[in-house]
Amino acid sequence: MRTAPTILHLDMDAFFASVEQASKPSLRGKAVVVGGLGPRGVVATCSYEARVFGVHSAMPMAQARRLAPNAAYLVPRGGLYRAISEQVMGLLRALSPLVEPLSLDEAFVDLEAGGAAWDGHSARLAGERLRADIRAVTGLTGSVGLAASKMLAKIASEQAKPDGLVLIPPGTERALLGPMSVRTLPGVGPATGDHLRRAGIHTVEELAEAGEDELVRLLGKAHGHALYAMALARDERPVVAEREAKSVSVEDTYDVDIHDRLRIGLEVQRLADRCVRRLRGAGLSGRTIVLKVRRYDFSTLTRSETLRGPTDDPAVVREAALRLLDAVDTTGGVRLLGVGVSGLADFTQEDLFAQAAGEEVAGAEDETAEQAVREPAGPAERRWSPGHDVRHAEYGHGWVQGSGLGRVTVRFETPWSEPGRVRTFRTDDPDLERAEPLPLVEGAEGVTGAAGGSEVSEVSEVRGASAG
């Protein structure tokens, strides 16, 4: 391990909810919950004000509403979160070439590799400067942990929350870890924690005292060796700038079980097309097509098919996913569908086009076809999602508080205004339109690619994802 605390871990504070509070003055200091708002929705993250009521990430949204009925419940704005994440990651990359993102709101940085720090004093200065830069650029807060290893830097950032900085001086790691719960260590989840508790091991110090042989006997060779090393504060993992993706996938959870076999097939095709768009966006292709089906009784089936070579052709992926669906019994209905591609490569094999039944299946990436699947036939009514940005010809910029019964309620305010007034309109009001989010800091450049649409739905479908 290092002799200086030059590994930094940044974790943005309640990221999704903090973005919403920063962009909506009327929600600052109030309970905000972000996630899927349907009957089967899950909390993606919530503000610290909502956590007081017991709300937490991965909680069913229905339970969150019971605990905090007066909170603001908003649909995620994935494009906006990604744009702000890129601003934050840009600040990290200015510190060092070795930045290891873990999610949109979390990353490790090797300060020594970038010459940003070489001892405790310089590391603390770099961490404080980073926090100030993040606030200046985004208006948000992040918590920073500094230590001689990745494991300890992450533990330090947890202790720093919210909006703080904690540095663990080298040589003090064992004393710090000793009284902590074994659940503090990476890789110790509820099942492993219960197993250790039944063996009389509750703290990290007791874990170290049990000895390596006993931990191997209890947990197996690989896990036992790893946990013993962590209990002794040993962690030699380097900060890795690029983490190779193993798969690309998308999935949808449906508010009501789908029973119609035709619609299930159409949903699978739609998911396949979205998966390919992600694949192409990353400049990748893949050989193995994976179908995930969660049935009405919560049983989850996964089926896969490996092609002759990598592809990024939507027709190929659709046809493979439909072949996999043919082998799945969906009689009782399905509550979740997913399509993924693994065995990734950065090239395609052109002759795989022949695998698609009917090369001329036009509209592989035709958004109108996707809309036909998503929306029922009949007069189209504009959908106004809670939390999304709108603009009115007379009243200016605002955001949707709610909609229903042919009406939409809008609060008119900007990130740098006072809390605004609320007005109600018909959902088909010609003066009301969707709008791009405004920058969180006045005078800053706008965030691009952050409006609603498919980009938003991609994030809202990450069920149980935590955003700090």
Side-chain angles (χ1 to χ4, degrees):
M1 273 184 27
R2 304 182 181 204
T3 57
T6 53
I7 292 181
L8 178 149
H9 181 261
L10 170 72
D11 197 354
M12 299 295 290
D13 299 322
F15 184 48
F16 296 173
S18 293
V19 170
E20 299 300 341
Q21 288 178 317
S23 67
K24 301 172 173 63
S26 58
L27 296 184
R28 292 169 192 169
K30 298 182 180 179
V32 174
V33 182
V34 180
L37 302 189
R40 291 175 178 167
V42 172
V43 175
T45 195
C46 59
S47 67
Y48 288 98
E49 294 86 355
R51 297 179 192 192
V52 172
F53 297 98
V55 181
H56 58 77
S57 61
M59 172 181 284
M61 192 62 77
Q63 183 180 355
R65 288 185 184 276
R66 289 194 294 270
L67 293 172
N70 296 320
Y73 289 87
L74 306 176
V75 172
R77 294 188 289 169
L80 176 60
Y81 306 151
R82 273 189 287 275
I84 295 172
S85 173
E86 276 304 308
Q87 292 179 317
V88 173
M89 295 302 166
L91 294 173
L92 298 183
R93 295 185 185 101
L95 288 175
S96 171
L98 292 183
V99 175
E100 182 178 337
L102 304 179
S103 63
L104 289 178
D105 64 327
E106 185 180 2
F108 287 110
V109 183
D110 187 334
L111 296 175
E112 192 173 329
W118 50 91
D119 59 13
H121 178 67
S122 58
R124 183 180 291 276
L125 288 177
E128 292 291 5
R129 186 170 63 250
L130 172 65
R131 293 177 59 237
D133 288 345
I134 289 173
R135 186 185 289 273
V137 171
T138 69
L140 305 177
T141 64
S143 297
V144 167
L146 293 158
S149 71
K150 290 168 71 172
M151 177 186 75
L152 290 161
K154 185 170 175 62
I155 289 172
S157 71
E158 282 296 319
Q159 293 183 323
K161 281 188 167 294
D163 191 20
L165 181 149
V166 168
L167 182 149
I168 300 176
T172 66
E173 296 93 348
R174 288 286 302 277
L176 175 76
L177 285 175
M180 291 183 174
S181 165
V182 293
R183 290 290 304 276
T184 304
L185 299 179
V188 182
T192 301
D194 287 344
H195 195 53
L196 291 171
R197 179 180 52 79
R198 288 193 295 270
I201 300 172
H202 301 86
T203 67
V204 176
E205 184 177 10
E206 290 170 343
L207 198 64
E209 290 174 351
E212 190 168 16
D213 291 341
E214 176 64 8
L215 294 180
V216 168
R217 186 187 70 80
L218 287 171
L219 304 172
K221 189 173 181 179
H223 205 182
H225 286 314
L227 273 189
Y228 183 68
M230 286 189 286
L232 299 180
R234 297 173 186 163
D235 179 17
E236 302 292 344
R237 294 173 300 157
V239 176
V240 181
E242 296 295 335
R243 302 192 341 157
E244 185 178 352
K246 296 182 179 179
S247 65
V248 173
S249 63
V250 297
E251 63 182 43
D252 273 348
T253 299
Y254 303 99
D255 292 342
V256 178
D257 290 345
I258 303 176
H259 293 83
D260 181 65
R261 186 75 180 188
L262 176 60
R263 189 190 164 194
I264 293 172
L266 291 172
E267 288 291 324
V268 166
Q269 292 182 72
R270 181 175 64 82
L271 289 166
D273 287 347
R274 274 178 40 208
C275 183
V276 168
R277 286 198 294 275
R278 278 194 179 186
L279 200 66
R280 289 182 169 181
L284 297 170
S285 60
R287 297 182 67 237
T288 301
I289 314 303
V290 180
L291 176 71
K292 178 180 177 181
V293 179
R294 181 165 298 150
R295 298 190 289 192
Y296 69 98
D297 59 358
F298 287 90
S299 62
T300 302
L301 303 176
T302 303
R303 300 287 184 267
S304 64
E305 174 182 319
T306 299
L307 307 174
R308 295 195 303 270
T311 184
D312 66 352
D313 180 64
V316 173
V317 177
R318 279 200 310 271
E319 291 298 321
L322 288 174
R323 284 195 297 272
L324 295 169
L325 179 63
D326 287 340
V328 176
D329 180 11
T330 60
T331 304
V334 300
R335 57 186 293 120
L336 177 146
L337 290 169
V339 174
V341 178
S342 61
L344 301 181
D346 56 3
F347 64 93
T348 60
Q349 187 168 312
E350 296 296 331
D351 65 1
L352 285 177
F353 289 116
Q355 293 189 32
E359 284 184 284
E360 300 303 321
V361 180
E365 298 182 76
D366 187 342
E367 291 298 324
T368 59
E370 183 169 331
Q371 286 297 110
V373 176
R374 286 186 179 178
E375 299 179 0
E381 180 177 303
R382 288 188 291 175
R383 295 182 61 184
W384 303 101
S385 299
H388 285 196
D389 295 84
V390 295
R391 177 170 293 280
H392 190 273
E394 179 179 353
Y395 301 109
H397 191 92
W399 58 276
V400 176
Q401 280 199 327
S403 64
L405 302 177
R407 295 286 186 269
V408 55
T409 301
V410 178
R411 184 180 289 273
F412 290 97
E413 58 187 6
T414 69
W416 47 87
S417 74
E418 295 296 319
R421 295 187 61 182
V422 175
R423 298 182 182 275
T424 300
F425 308 91
R426 299 193 318 273
T427 54
D428 60 353
D429 190 317
D431 289 336
L432 190 66
E433 62 182 6
R434 296 180 184 178
E436 292 282 347
L438 297 174
L440 302 184
V441 177
E442 188 172 11
E445 293 184 6
V447 284
T448 59
S454 62
E455 289 300 308
V456 172
S457 66
E458 306 261 319
V459 166
S460 66
E461 289 146 16
V462 181
R463 304 299 183 188
S466 172

